[in-house]
Amino acid sequence: TYIMKRLEEFKEKSEIVGDVRGKGLMIGMEIVENKENKKPAPGKANEIMMRSWKRGVAVITCGVSTIRIVPPLNITRELVDSALEIIEDSVKEIEKEA
């Protein structure tokens, strides 16, 4: 619930996060070209995945342009916050480059 709430809040500020969905600790963040056309952006999703990985957060893409976030059951709030900051920073960088 905490992660979903935080990602939903981030989605409202982001131009390329089209949707956030999940069940339990398997969460997807769909990356789109822009919110108007909601066209999938697989290149951007892949770049977010790679930038996050290089900073220490292992996420993968799934589907056409979704970032899959699956933290372990015993993750601490501190690690969740650090990981989400890295993912959010990667998204912001891609937005600025567009």
Side-chain angles (χ1 to χ4, degrees):
T1 304
Y2 175 78
I3 296 170
M4 288 291 290
K5 181 178 182 229
R6 180 149 167 196
L7 290 174
E8 282 290 340
E9 290 169 358
F10 181 67
K11 178 180 100 171
E12 298 305 315
K13 301 174 195 169
S14 173
E15 279 301 310
I16 65 170
V17 177
D19 191 25
V20 173
R21 56 189 172 271
K23 195 133 185 121
L25 283 176
M26 184 176 287
I27 299 167
M29 180 173 66
E30 185 176 8
I31 306 301
V32 296
E33 291 295 331
N34 60 59
K35 287 189 178 179
E36 288 78 40
N37 67 19
K38 293 213 174 189
K39 180 180 173 188
K44 290 179 182 179
N46 193 48
E47 188 62 27
I48 291 165
M49 176 187 69
M50 292 307 296
R51 289 181 189 204
S52 297
W53 178 76
K54 288 177 182 177
R55 293 177 180 146
V57 176
V59 294
I60 60 172
T61 57
C62 64
V64 177
S65 65
T66 301
I67 301 291
R68 185 185 302 175
I69 302 165
V70 187
L73 290 172
N74 62 345
I75 193 166
T76 64
R77 176 76 54 101
E78 181 182 7
L79 286 175
V80 166
D81 287 334
S82 296
L84 290 176
E85 285 175 29
I86 289 169
I87 295 167
E88 290 169 0
D89 286 346
S90 297
V91 171
K92 289 175 189 175
E93 287 174 8
I94 298 299
E95 285 178 327
K96 287 180 185 176
E97 293 174 9

